[in-house]
């Protein structure tokens, strides 16, 4: 089937596909066309990685647009949203507009209504529905990429409920679900009332095997000798072997999957020794340049470790990398400049980085709930293996698992090579998942009675799969009780049918897109903080379930809102931002600890020695913490409390301008993690700010305290720099240098001696001009201005951070 022969697409699309090298449709694509994907029919395509699922989605979306409709493409990872948007933007030449919806979870993204294709994560779509985005009603086609992720305990339920809502709003909606090969694709098709295209076809042959001793045994019965010398690393040998085996005139690159970030980093060091010896002079030059870019992209150790291996032609890839570095590695690997990458399994899915050889070095991963090393799912290992073989570049792909003994070799064949992937199972009938979705379903008007709610839930995969309907009902009832007890829902059983309505605060919580339990934790904490600040006499905030105010520590007497530098200069801070300094004694650490305690925050783990360390911190700073510290004998609760304190301390360090490197070292995390924690805290503090308005209706002090704590996290600065750091392009490090040079506020920037500004900004003319421009200075030009280096010197001495300009630092977020 040729693309030009397809009907129903915008004019010229067939020709454009042909020009891209799509001469004929792959068999699964042809099957999708036969099943009516161009005519608005729903479809589940369960086909292997790299066999052209994206084109199936494009055919569906483009034909929907040609019919005058609008399409939504749901991506499994936020990082993939812009990648997909860029991919679809090539259709703009054919009059198709594309938009991507990222960013905060509490807007309705109205502008997206004018786009033909919108790309978003399921969380984003869910939040758009909650915020009443009207354009959702106009959708005619929805694509769900990697739909097998409904099996994921954390994120699956959101995808499941979102698809159910979209289909409820528009019963004629075309639903196209793309899936890896799974054990029960027919069940998914049944759930979505869709035709099923299931296939094992791959555009390039894949051999899967196990290496043991001196050879790889493949599933097709063939054997390939790969001798590993005594003491030699088998993975390194396999990577070297692929590089030394020429096909299409070149050696093949490898992707190595390991089970932790640390292992990814150490494996990359070993692999770099292999790749280093196989580079041309030109490659060495280009890699040196790339390494420089990588090093400058972030001031943390991870970036510098990454640069060290990149220079030698290898890399590691995990969620701790900063986004620009991740993209740089992927691009260079696709360009075959980087020849070996070691990666963690989380990144196996979705990232389009094919390699000739895939080595699955670790097939077990530590799992806390499991209580030890747990074998990976077949589906996951198959997806890793599916990354092997680059169409048009490699004659074949090879996936190799590693065994140290004959028994393991046999086990690996049985467990993975010959095994069928597991069936996908809905994870909806769990309290945390239903808590949030039941509230949102009622708040957004999808159900107004208990029975209506259960009917709505009947459209989910869970209901399709289960034989035990009572389980969903009983979890739903438990959740309804919880939501009622926390005043998020009102239930009225007076006239026979139980009606449900979200309360005002319930609506707010649904729109804020936080777990109702997080909202309850925040509300309780804020009420308590306000009550104790008022000396405990404010009956207005007392409610059942909240510890009485007199049990809470006395915030009224302890005030640590201000800058911790104690340099005597903090008096004017509040005025600088043009806001009142809150009189209430809610400390930043108290709030950081509070948000870290919510189920929406991922706490840092306690490592060895941490229990003692944070027990000490806990008692030293107890007065600042909101709520009463659990007893040390309540093991689980106490440890949770300390883990949240550790996370809270990380945020506090960040807001105290501690260097990224030092934070990374102190808490054993990568820069990507710091960023993740900071973004989550910012989001939760934003939610807390809205909730505080409900609690603190009297003087708004709590709202102010939360806002300032949030801004400090957002900019990564102390109180005194809030005003300066809020100016675009300034960021935490430059703000500190300007401050030390005597420029303390945005207003100062408009008046200050330009040579001082330039000196504090290390003589960078363009930067200085942009800073002045954003501060609203009338004439920001630095023409003929000489930097005042005494200002620069003062700044350096004052900030204690003389190395690196920091303009690319995480603190500047972009
Ligand atoms: P999947 O989403 O199934 O993992 P992709 O859609 O990313 O796979 O496709 C893998 C590669 O195959 C892409 O580079 C794509 O351009 C190419 N491709 C898809 N369909 C065809 C086709 N019919 N002919 C040639 N190349 C194709």
């Amino acid at each position: 089937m040729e693309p030009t022969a397809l009907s129903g697409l915008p004019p010229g699309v067939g020709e454009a596909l042909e020009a891209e090298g799509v001469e004929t449709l792959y068999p699964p694509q042809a099957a999708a066309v036969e099943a009516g994907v161009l005519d608005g029919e729903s479809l589940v395509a369960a086909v292997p990685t790299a066999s052209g699922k994206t084109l199936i989605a494009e055919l569906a979306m483009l034909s929907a647009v040609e019919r005058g409709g609008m399409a939504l493409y749901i991506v499994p990872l936020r990082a993939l949203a812009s990648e997909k948007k860029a991919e679809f933007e090539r259709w703009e030449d054919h009059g198709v507009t594309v938009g991507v919806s990222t960013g905060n979870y509490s807007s309705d993204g109205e502008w997206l209504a004018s786009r033909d294709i919108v790309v978003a994560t399921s969380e984003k779509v869910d939040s758009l529905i909650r915020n009443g985005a009207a354009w959702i009603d106009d959708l005619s086609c929805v694509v769900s990429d990697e739909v097998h992720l409904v099996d994921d305990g954390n994120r699956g339920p959101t995808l499941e409920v979102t698809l159910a809502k979209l289909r409820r709003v528009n019963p004629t909606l075309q639903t196209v679900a793309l899936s890896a090969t799974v054990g029960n694709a027919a069940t998914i098709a049944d759930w979505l009332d869709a035709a099923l295209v299931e296939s094992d076809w791959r555009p390039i042959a894949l051999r899967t095997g196990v290496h043991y001793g001196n050879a790889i045994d493949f599933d097709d019965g063939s054997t390939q000798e790969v001798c590993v010398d005594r003491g030699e690393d088998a993975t390194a040998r396999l990577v070297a072997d692929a590089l030394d085996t020429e096909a299409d005139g070149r050696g093949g690159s490898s992707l190595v999957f390991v089970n932790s970030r640390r292992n990814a980093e150490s494996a990359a060091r070993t692999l770099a020794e292999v790749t280093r010896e196989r580079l041309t002079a030109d490659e060495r030059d280009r890699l040196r340049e790339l390494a420089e870019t990588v090093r400058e992209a972030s001031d943390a150790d991870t970036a510098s470790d990454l640069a060290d291996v990149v220079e030698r032609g290898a890399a590691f890839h995990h969620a701790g990398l900063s986004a620009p570095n991740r993209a740089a590695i992927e691009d260079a690997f696709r360009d075959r400049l980087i020849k070996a990458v070691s990666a963690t399994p989380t990144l196996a899915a979705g990232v389009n980085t094919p390699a000739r050889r895939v080595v699955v070095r670790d097939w077990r991963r530590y799992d806390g709930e499991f209580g030890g090393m747990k074998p990976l799912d077949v589906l996951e290992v198959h997806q890793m293996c599916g990354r092997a073989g680059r169409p048009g570049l490699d004659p074949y792909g090879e996936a190799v698992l590693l065994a140290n003994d004959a028994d393991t070799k046999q086990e690996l064949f049985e467990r993975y090579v010959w095994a069928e992937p597991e069936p996908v199972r809905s994870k909806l009938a769990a309290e945390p998942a239903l808590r949030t979705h039941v509230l949102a379903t009622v708040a957004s008007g999808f159900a107004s009675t208990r029975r209506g709610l259960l009917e709505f839930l009947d459209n989910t995969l869970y209901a399709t799969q289960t034989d035990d309907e009572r389980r969903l009902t009983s979890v739903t009832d438990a959740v309804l009780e919880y939501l009622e007890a926390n005043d998020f829902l009102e239930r009225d059983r007076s006239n026979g049918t139980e009606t449900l309505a979200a309360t005002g605060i319930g609506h707010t919580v649904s729109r804020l897109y936080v777990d109702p339990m997080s909202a309850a934790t925040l509300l309780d904490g804020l009420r308590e903080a306000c009550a104790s600040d008022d000396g405990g006499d404010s009956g207005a905030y007392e409610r059942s379930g909240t510890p009485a105010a007199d049990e809470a520590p006395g915030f009224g007497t302890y005030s640590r809102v201000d800058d911790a530098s104690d340099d005597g200069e903090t008096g004017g801070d509040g005025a600088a931002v043009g806001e009142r300094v809150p009189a209430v004694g809610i400390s930043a650490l108290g709030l950081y600890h509070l948000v870290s305690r919510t189920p929406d925050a991922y706490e840092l783990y306690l490592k060895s020695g941490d229990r003692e360390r944070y027990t000490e911190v806990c008692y030293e700073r107890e007065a600042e913490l909101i709520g009463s510290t659990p007893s040390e004998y309540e093991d689980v609760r106490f440890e949770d409390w300390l883990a949240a304190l550790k996370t809270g301390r990380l945020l506090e360090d960040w807001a105290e301008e501690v260097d990224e490197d030092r934070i990374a070292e102190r808490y054993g995390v990568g820069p990507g993690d710091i960023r993740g924690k900071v973004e989550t805290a910012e989001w939760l503090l934003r939610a807390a700010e809205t909730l505080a308005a409900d609690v603190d209706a009297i003087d708004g002090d709590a709202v102010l305290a939360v806002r300032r704590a949030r801004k400090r996290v957002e900019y990564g600065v102390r109180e005194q720099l809030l005003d300066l750091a809020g100016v675009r392009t300034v960021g935490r490090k430059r703000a500190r240098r300007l401050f030390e040079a005597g420029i303390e506020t945005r207003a100062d920037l408009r008046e200050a001696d330009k040579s001082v500004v330039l000196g504090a900004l290390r003589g960078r003319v363009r930067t200085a001009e942009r800073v002045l421009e954003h501060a609203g200075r009338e004439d920001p030009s630095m023409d003929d201005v000489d930097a005042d280096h005494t200002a620069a010197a003062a700044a350096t001495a004052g900030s204690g951070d003389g190395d690196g300009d920091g303009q690319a630092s995480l603190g500047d977020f972009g």
Side-chain angles (χ1 to χ4, degrees), residues 57-97:
E58 289 180 306
L59 294 179
M61 296 193 296
L62 293 171
S63 58
V65 171
E66 182 62 10
R67 285 193 296 275
M70 179 182 179
L72 172 68
Y73 189 99
I74 303 180
V75 281
L77 291 171
R78 198 152 70 149
L80 289 178
S82 359
E83 205 175 284
K84 283 292 170 195
K85 174 183 174 251
E87 199 174 337
F88 300 150
E89 265 172 350
R90 68 193 200 285
W91 303 119
E92 295 201 332
D93 292 345
H94 301 268
V96 177
T97 54

Side-chain angles (χ1 to χ4, degrees), residues 20-26 29 47-56 73 84 87 90 145-146 178 203 352 387 391:
E20 278 173 18
V22 180
E23 287 168 15
T24 133
L25 293 190
Y26 287 160
Q29 295 165 343
V47 292
T49 317
S51 37
K53 288 194 283 290
T54 311
L55 184 57
I56 297 180
Y73 189 99
K84 283 292 170 195
E87 199 174 337
R90 68 193 200 285
D145 192 2
E146 311 253 1
L178 310 177
N352 187 19
R387 296 275 152 214

Side-chain angles (χ1 to χ4, degrees), residues 441-442 445-453 490 492 497-501:
T441 299
V442 174
F446 284 90
S448 55
T449 60
R450 174 176 171 277
R451 183 198 292 206
L453 178 65
E490 275 166 6
D492 180 359
T497 44
E498 178 177 337
T499 59
L500 305 170

Side-chain angles (χ1 to χ4, degrees), residues 562 570-582 708 719-720 723:
D562 273 341
T570 57
D573 290 343
V577 201
E579 275 173 3
R580 208 153 44 91
V581 176
R708 297 172 78 84
E719 198 81 31
Q720 60 182 184
D723 190 34

Side-chain angles (χ1 to χ4, degrees), residues 599-676:
D600 278 312
Y602 294 97
E603 291 168 357
L604 292 169
Y605 292 113
L606 292 183
K607 298 189 176 156
S608 89
D610 276 354
R611 188 178 163 119
E612 295 69 32
R613 190 168 305 127
Y614 288 98
T615 302
E616 209 171 293
V617 176
C618 180
Y619 291 125
E620 265 170 28
R621 315 240 348 229
E622 194 173 6
E624 287 174 78
L625 305 184
I626 301 174
S628 28
T629 304
S631 146
E632 282 191 50
Y633 299 104
E634 288 182 80
D635 237 15
V636 176
R637 281 191 63 212
F638 188 64
E639 292 230 338
D640 265 356
W641 188 264
L642 294 185
L645 182 57
K646 182 177 175 184
T647 316
R649 280 281 300 120
L650 180 151
L651 295 168
E652 187 185 45
D653 274 355
W654 171 251
E656 287 289 336
E657 298 170 46
V658 175
D659 256 12
E660 229 180 300
D661 280 8
R662 205 169 309 158
I663 297 181
E665 192 187 326
R666 198 174 281 171
Y667 299 93
V669 295
D673 300 309
I674 302 176
R675 190 189 187 120

Side-chain angles (χ1 to χ4, degrees), residues 76 122 144-161 163 178-185 187-188 191 365 374 376-380 383 421-430 433 461-462 465:
S122 50
S144 173
D145 192 2
E146 311 253 1
V147 75
H148 53 267
L149 293 174
V150 289
D151 193 280
D152 183 290
N154 289 321
R155 303 187 49 209
T158 301
L159 177 57
E160 201 178 326
V161 171
L163 286 175
L178 310 177
S179 167
T181 34
V182 295
N184 58 341
T187 309
I188 300 181
W191 163 44
R365 170 174 46 200
K374 186 180 176 193
L376 300 179
D377 288 346
V378 181
L379 179 60
E380 208 172 351
Q383 281 203 294
E422 303 75 5
V424 167
R425 296 229 137 258
S426 165
K427 298 294 188 316
L428 186 64
L461 174 63
Y462 183 85
Q465 283 190 314

Side-chain angles (χ1 to χ4, degrees), residues 523-524 526-532 534 537-544 546-547 692-700:
L523 282 164
D524 282 350
L526 290 165
R527 284 183 183 115
E528 223 169 297
C530 289
S532 48
D534 293 346
D537 58 0
S538 172
Y541 303 124
E542 275 179 29
R543 50 191 294 285
S544 59
T546 311
D694 188 69
V695 169
D696 179 28
I698 298 172
D699 51 17

